[in-house]
Amino acid sequence: MLLFFILGLLVHFVFFASIFDIYFTSPLVHGMTPQFTSLPPPARRLVLFVADGLRADSLYELDENGDSRAPFIRNIIMHEGSWGISHTRVPTESRPGHVALIAGFYEDVSAVAKGWKENPVEFDSLLNESKYTWGWGSPDILSMFAKDVSGDHVFIHTYDADDEDFGAHDVTKLDTWVFDNVKEFFRAARNNQSLFSKLNEEKIVFFLHLLGIDTNGHAHRPSSREYKDNIKIVDAGIKEIVSMFKHFYGNDGKTAFVFTADHGMTDWGVHGAGHPSETLTPFVTWGAGIKYPQNVSTQQFEDAFLKEWKLENWKRQDINQADIAPLMASLIGVPFPLNSVGILPLDYLNNTDLFKAESIFTNAIQILEQFKVKMTQKKEVTLSFLFTPFKLLSESKQHNILRKARSYIKQRKYDEAKPSRLLQYSFVAIGVLVAFFLLIQAYPWTYYIYCLLPVPIWYAVLREFQVIQDLVASLLSCPPSHFVGYLLVSTLGIEVLVLSFFYRYMLTAGLIAFAGWPFITQLWTRAKRTSLNWIFFSLLLAVFPLMPVVGRKPDISLVMTAGLLVLLLSLFVVASLTKRKDSFVNEELPLHLLQMLSMVLSMYVVYSTDNSLLKKQGLPLINQIISWIILASSFVLPLLSPPILFERLFSILLSLMSTYILLSRGYEALFPLVLSCLMFAWIHMEQETLQQSGVSCKQKVNSIQFIYNTDLTQLRQLCLDDIRRAFFLVFFLVTAFFGTGNIASVNSFDVTSVYCFLTVFSPFIMGALMMWKILIPFVLVMCAFEAVQLTTQLSSKGLFLMVLVISDIMALHFFFLVRDYGSWLDIGTSISHYVIVMSMTMVLVFLNGLAQLLTTKKLTLCGKPKSHLI
């Protein structure tokens, strides 16, 4: 039995890890030859401004007075350069955005293995190909391009990571720091002969990363005055830098300027997905090698932006974000980045037709080189009779295309299966054949695991052929109508669970169906009051999946309302226990009052912190200290309460709600409260169901203690109702996941939810706090299910087997839905769905252990002896 259990865990671990090996391996290849044109470039140097998080409409639109927020950039559009919209690709995050801009390729899906913090493999970039590069800005971005560069020619200047504080009074200092340091750098260069000499070389790049707009967008939203004022500051700073460059280089006309953004931002201050507000960014370029403005009478675009921005008469030339890298490379004459997939936008170039033709020809060869290397790698590890080359780019066709292109340039035509020894030996033979086939194909070692693991599994299944035969016979003996009915209900239940991962309103449908449970049984007539509670809270909880995703519409008043409801409920419970228990006032009342005080402090901290941040006074230190104390105490205070079922569960709810209030920004603060009320109703409903089925219950709910440690497997065997209980558990856990949002994407998280604890950017601490916020509803469900197990005398082993079956059936759906393309919202969602269901049993083990700790352990103070008597 232990062997099969270990084998089962191994199987699930392998399938859990397989998607990352199969789907998320890097598409990047190495070994290409650098490609560049021998013609002289138009510019000696390039200045790249990247305004992190700047939306296209925020820059181009006019304000309420009809004035531009960026008068200098608008003047460039009208009199000096070319402009358009840069269409970014998902995921709209800073790292992949800057990689697309500077290296010319979009997101490397294997970055999932690095937590999306960096590219897991080396890649070539414009900065690496330059002779010298100087960069100023955020350490997160600049260090990525300075890492693993060939040679000592990329110099970065960054501020401290702690300066990236969402709660700071003025985050525009992140941009003014860059402008001030650039100006100081050039002043110092006049007295440094070595530096002065480098600055006068050709093929050099200056990279100014401006993070203030993104930080203000996250903290105050793009519609805020802070975000829009930051655009004005950036515009003024760029004007000063451009003037300084012209003065330093004596107006030699050999400087090219590029201004753009890595991504945009939604109205609610996040990015990462594919909404137009995130994917449409500004692109303005001017200087050496760039076309001057082109006046036009009409332009054909599907959107109405030109009219809204009053730019109908200036030719708009949209561009793909990855195309910016080859454009910048051609301007200063460096090789195209080796991994770039960008296509040179010829309409931006102000140069001869020969230069354009040679440049686009070189660009084509550079991309073709990647194809050839990839094909060679694939051919080397594939049997010759299984390898099929891409017919449209066979070697002969490649040669013909390149020959014709070169010919046109020369001609100046610039415009074209029973257990037995036999069974055992059979499976051994199958395993050997599979291994031999993999060996001669030279496949990675992970393929051996994927292909060989099913062999012993199917061998174990077929050894139990008699059990399978008995199961089939049992099913066939059922009346056809019952069998079909059970099958349809089971299938419908599983499909509702699967669809709820994509459409949150399916949870609403499920909860509404749950509300009808008492009517299809005799519970409505037997326990009307309990049934009414179940119906009411099922319907109330069903409202939450219909609400917007958490974080988009903060409302502190709802957080305060949740706190007040918890306090009112606490007063009711205290009054009830005072009447029922003579010892309550002396022994247990102080603990309840302490937990109520904790709730009051949480409400105060949330309210005062919100006011302080609105006034730009930062996070008060006393609020921060109180928040951490409340968080720490929430793990201890429940253990001081009596282990009687109702009292311990309510103590857990009070402690966890105090923490949840601190982490809430809107209606989600009400979610654990409503969920807990439904859990209390569920406990009573399940005991009524068990009594109805004829199973005697030894104790009433109000007298059951969590230290009740009878071996439940000795009390009764599993019944059909236990399948429903397992399904309810899975459904409530899924509701805890998606009841107030979608945890599959970072885009769904609102960093402001942790502002009561800290405002300085700290990804690990912030991530841990948000993860605990997600886990709190799960803990409440599992603690309630501990009570269900006690009241219904349910076997834990049987429960996990049923949950395993349900989760594995769901996993079959999601295994074939894993995606390795699209936004990280789509990719992250597909991964998360698969990971959630595959790890559900392992997570249940952890949550069950935590729930048992919170429900059964009892701490004593001042040497007071333990007492488990009522």
Side-chain angles (χ1 to χ4, degrees):
M1 182 66 184
L2 179 61
L3 180 62
F4 281 108
F5 179 75
I6 295 174
L7 180 61
L9 285 179
L10 176 62
V11 170
H12 282 80
F13 176 79
V14 169
F15 279 100
F16 170 83
S18 66
I19 61 167
F20 298 98
D21 179 62
I22 296 171
Y23 288 97
F24 301 100
T25 53
S26 177
L28 300 185
V29 292
H30 299 85
M32 293 79 68
T33 304
Q35 303 292 326
F36 61 98
T37 177
S38 58
L39 297 176
R44 292 176 60 87
R45 66 200 71 92
L46 174 83
V47 183
L48 173 61
F49 302 95
V50 179
D52 204 306
L54 176 59
R55 294 164 46 149
D57 58 349
S58 297
L59 179 79
Y60 292 139
E61 69 185 4
L62 303 178
D63 61 20
E64 54 274 10
N65 298 321
D67 300 322
S68 173
R69 298 189 189 98
F72 176 74
I73 294 297
R74 195 171 183 90
N75 181 71
I76 293 293
I77 293 173
M78 295 179 173
H79 301 99
E80 294 188 40
S82 297
W83 76 286
I85 292 177
S86 172
H87 293 264
T88 69
R89 283 197 189 177
V90 287
T92 47
E93 302 287 352
S94 292
R95 179 189 53 78
H98 281 87
V99 170
L101 281 170
I102 299 174
F105 67 90
Y106 298 105
E107 179 65 289
D108 181 351
V109 294
S110 64
V112 66
K114 294 285 185 177
W116 299 289
K117 295 296 182 184
E118 62 182 42
N119 272 69
V121 297
E122 289 185 32
F123 62 94
D124 192 26
S125 71
L126 174 77
L127 309 190
N128 186 51
E129 296 291 355
S130 69
K131 190 165 188 176
Y132 295 108
T133 291
W134 290 269
W136 296 263
S138 167
D140 297 332
I141 299 301
L142 292 174
S143 59
M144 175 174 60
F145 292 99
K147 178 182 177 183
D148 297 329
V149 296
S150 57
D152 184 19
H153 66 281
V154 177
F155 310 95
I156 63 173
H157 308 267
T158 65
Y159 38 74
D160 194 276
D162 290 341
D163 291 336
E164 300 176 16
D165 186 351
F166 296 112
H169 174 69
D170 183 14
V171 297
T172 60
K173 64 183 180 182
L174 300 177
D175 296 336
T176 55
W177 183 96
V178 172
F179 295 134
D180 292 340
N181 276 265
V182 172
K183 288 183 281 189
E184 180 58 34
F185 172 82
F186 276 88
R187 279 194 293 267
R190 295 189 179 277
N191 300 317
N192 185 328
Q193 186 58 43
S194 175
L195 179 57
F196 187 86
S197 176
K198 290 178 180 177
L199 290 175
N200 280 280
E201 295 280 358
E202 61 180 11
K203 298 177 171 54
I204 60 176
V205 176
F206 302 91
F207 175 30
L208 282 70
H209 176 245
L210 309 168
L211 187 61
I213 293 175
D214 182 78
T215 308
N216 262 320
H218 285 304
H220 305 289
R221 309 296 187 260
S223 60
S224 65
R225 178 178 56 83
E226 290 83 359
Y227 183 92
K228 295 174 180 178
D229 287 347
N230 205 149
I231 297 175
K232 296 179 181 179
I233 292 174
V234 166
D235 181 72
I238 292 176
K239 180 180 180 180
E240 292 179 7
I241 296 299
V242 171
S243 177
M244 182 202 68
F245 266 87
K246 290 181 178 179
H247 178 70
F248 186 88
Y249 289 106
N251 289 309
D252 64 352
K254 291 295 182 178
T255 307
F257 299 91
V258 172
F259 174 72
T260 187
D262 53 348
H263 56 75
M265 187 172 290
T266 62
D267 292 337
W268 51 94
V270 297
H271 53 81
H275 191 273
S277 61
E278 300 167 89
T279 61
L280 302 183
T281 59
F283 180 75
V284 183
T285 181
W286 67 101
I290 298 297
K291 279 185 179 179
Y292 285 94
Q294 303 174 59
N295 292 327
V296 292
S297 57
T298 59
Q299 300 190 65
Q300 300 297 324
F301 286 95
E302 294 181 355
D303 54 64
F305 293 145
L306 288 170
K307 187 174 182 180
E308 295 173 8
W309 301 337
K310 308 298 182 184
L311 290 172
E312 307 97 309
N313 298 326
W314 286 269
K315 186 176 181 179
R316 165 184 156 189
Q317 302 178 78
D318 287 7
I319 190 173
N320 291 322
Q321 192 174 48
D323 298 344
I324 298 174
L327 173 63
M328 295 189 295
S330 68
L331 289 173
I332 57 175
V334 299
F336 293 98
L338 294 176
N339 302 112
S340 172
V341 296
I343 300 174
L344 181 63
L346 297 176
D347 289 341
Y348 274 91
L349 294 178
N350 182 19
N351 214 311
T352 64
D353 289 339
L354 175 62
F355 181 88
K356 294 180 182 179
E358 287 287 354
S359 296
I360 198 67
F361 181 80
T362 305
N363 187 195
I365 294 178
Q366 170 260 319
I367 296 176
L368 182 62
E369 280 288 311
Q370 297 180 70
F371 168 81
K372 292 165 69 174
V373 170
K374 187 69 175 180
M375 183 178 69
T376 301
Q377 292 178 353
K378 186 67 176 178
K379 189 174 183 179
E380 290 175 350
V381 296
T382 306
L383 292 175
S384 59
F385 67 92
L386 293 177
F387 179 78
T388 303
F390 184 56
K391 295 181 179 180
L392 296 180
L393 276 179
S394 62
E395 290 186 4
S396 60
K397 290 192 175 182
Q398 291 179 33
H399 177 75
N400 289 335
I401 292 171
L402 295 178
R403 180 181 56 80
K404 287 182 179 179
R406 175 53 65 191
S407 175
Y408 286 139
I409 292 175
K410 287 183 178 180
Q411 299 174 33
R412 298 186 180 182
K413 296 180 179 179
Y414 302 125
D415 299 322
E416 317 208 310
K418 283 190 166 173
S420 65
R421 287 290 179 183
L422 177 61
L423 180 66
Q424 184 177 351
Y425 292 150
S426 299
F427 275 87
V428 169
I430 291 173
V432 171
L433 288 174
V434 171
F436 179 75
F437 180 79
L438 295 173
L439 181 63
I440 61 176
Q441 288 282 76
Y443 282 127
W445 62 271
T446 53
Y447 280 47
Y448 289 79
I449 298 177
Y450 304 150
C451 295
L452 291 175
L453 192 59
V455 176
I457 293 175
W458 278 107
Y459 173 70
V461 169
L462 292 178
R463 284 189 60 185
E464 303 298 327
F465 182 78
Q466 188 61 47
V467 176
I468 300 173
Q469 199 173 32
D470 292 342
L471 175 63
V472 173
S474 176
L475 292 174
L476 293 177
S477 64
C478 292
S481 59
H482 289 185
F483 176 78
V484 173
Y486 292 149
L487 183 63
L488 288 177
V489 170
S490 301
T491 303
L492 180 62
I494 297 293
E495 289 303 319
V496 167
L497 283 174
V498 171
L499 290 173
S500 67
F501 280 62
F502 301 96
Y503 310 104
R504 291 172 56 219
Y505 60 79
M506 293 303 299
L507 295 174
T508 299
L511 289 167
I512 293 174
F514 284 6
W517 174 36
F519 297 104
I520 60 176
T521 62
Q522 297 179 8
L523 289 172
W524 175 250
T525 56
R526 181 185 179 93
K528 188 164 293 186
R529 182 178 176 182
T530 302
S531 298
L532 284 173
N533 288 333
W534 169 263
I535 294 169
F536 175 75
F537 288 111
S538 293
L539 295 177
L540 190 57
L541 189 65
V543 174
F544 286 88
L546 300 177
M547 302 289 284
V549 173
V550 166
R552 298 188 177 181
K553 294 182 179 180
D555 191 342
I556 300 301
S557 64
L558 291 177
V559 181
M560 297 296 102
T561 301
L564 288 174
L565 289 175
V566 173
L567 290 175
L568 290 174
L569 183 60
S570 301
L571 291 174
F572 174 79
V573 170
V574 168
S576 176
L577 291 175
T578 302
K579 293 179 181 179
R580 205 176 71 206
K581 296 179 63 177
D582 296 333
S583 62
F584 176 77
V585 174
N586 295 327
E587 296 180 3
E588 300 163 25
L589 181 60
L591 175 61
H592 279 268
L593 293 178
L594 180 59
Q595 291 183 302
M596 292 171 67
L597 176 62
S598 177
M599 176 60 64
V600 172
L601 289 174
S602 295
M603 295 169 63
Y604 164 76
V605 169
V606 170
Y607 184 78
S608 62
T609 299
D610 185 64
N611 283 340
S612 179
L613 292 176
L614 286 176
K615 296 176 182 177
K616 297 186 179 180
Q617 296 175 353
L619 171 62
L621 179 60
I622 185 64
N623 289 13
Q624 189 175 23
I625 294 173
I626 293 174
S627 298
W628 285 107
I629 291 175
I630 291 174
L631 174 62
S633 66
S634 67
F635 296 96
V636 179
L637 292 181
L639 305 182
L640 299 174
S641 65
I644 301 172
L645 187 147
F646 176 78
E647 294 182 43
R648 178 56 68 90
L649 287 180
F650 190 73
S651 180
I652 293 171
L653 171 62
L654 279 181
S655 292
L656 294 183
M657 275 300 297
S658 297
T659 302
Y660 202 87
I661 289 291
L662 293 171
L663 293 168
S664 298
R665 298 287 295 167
Y667 77 90
E668 80 271 18
L670 297 164
F671 181 75
L673 178 60
V674 177
L675 179 64
S676 296
C677 291
L678 181 59
M679 293 299 100
F680 283 114
W682 184 31
I683 294 169
H684 286 85
M685 289 284 286
E686 290 294 358
Q687 192 179 47
E688 293 290 344
T689 302
L690 204 63
Q691 290 175 347
Q692 179 180 305
S693 63
V695 178
S696 62
C697 295
K698 296 183 179 181
Q699 293 176 293
K700 293 183 179 180
V701 171
N702 291 335
S703 62
I704 294 178
Q705 298 187 53
F706 274 114
I707 61 170
Y708 187 68
N709 200 29
T710 304
D711 186 2
L712 297 178
T713 60
Q714 301 296 320
L715 297 178
R716 68 178 179 88
Q717 294 181 340
L718 295 176
C719 62
L720 197 60
D721 253 350
D722 293 329
I723 299 176
R724 176 190 51 75
R725 293 182 181 104
F727 178 79
F728 273 22
L729 173 61
V730 175
F731 188 92
F732 287 134
L733 288 174
V734 172
T735 303
F737 265 100
F738 301 112
T740 59
N742 180 2
I743 73 157
S745 170
V746 176
N747 181 261
S748 299
F749 290 134
D750 187 4
V751 73
T752 60
S753 63
V754 302
Y755 279 2
C756 289
F757 293 89
L758 74 167
T759 57
V760 176
F761 182 69
S762 178
F764 295 103
I765 297 178
M766 288 179 168
L769 288 170
M770 289 189 285
M771 187 56 64
W772 179 236
K773 178 183 178 181
I774 292 169
L775 286 176
I776 285 176
F778 301 158
V779 175
L780 293 172
V781 172
M782 288 306 299
C783 288
F785 197 74
E786 279 291 306
V788 170
Q789 287 181 274
L790 288 175
T791 58
T792 62
Q793 305 151 21
L794 176 62
S795 166
S796 297
K797 293 180 180 178
L799 163 72
F800 279 98
L801 286 174
M802 289 183 288
V803 171
L804 178 64
V805 171
I806 294 172
S807 62
D808 282 352
I809 294 174
M810 294 170 63
L812 286 176
H813 287 75
F814 295 120
F815 181 81
F816 296 102
L817 295 176
V818 174
R819 297 175 58 177
D820 60 350
Y821 60 90
S823 71
W824 275 123
L825 177 62
D826 298 330
I827 294 174
T829 298
S830 67
I831 297 175
S832 299
H833 292 171
Y834 184 76
V835 169
I836 289 168
V837 293
M838 286 301 296
S839 60
M840 188 170 290
T841 50
M842 292 181 284
V843 172
L844 276 180
V845 172
F846 165 76
L847 291 176
N848 189 56
L850 180 59
Q852 285 187 350
L853 174 67
L854 290 174
T855 55
T856 62
K857 298 301 179 182
K858 178 73 167 70
L859 295 181
T860 57
L861 300 177
C862 303
K864 182 180 178 180
K866 292 183 180 180
S867 175
H868 300 311
L869 298 177
I870 301 175

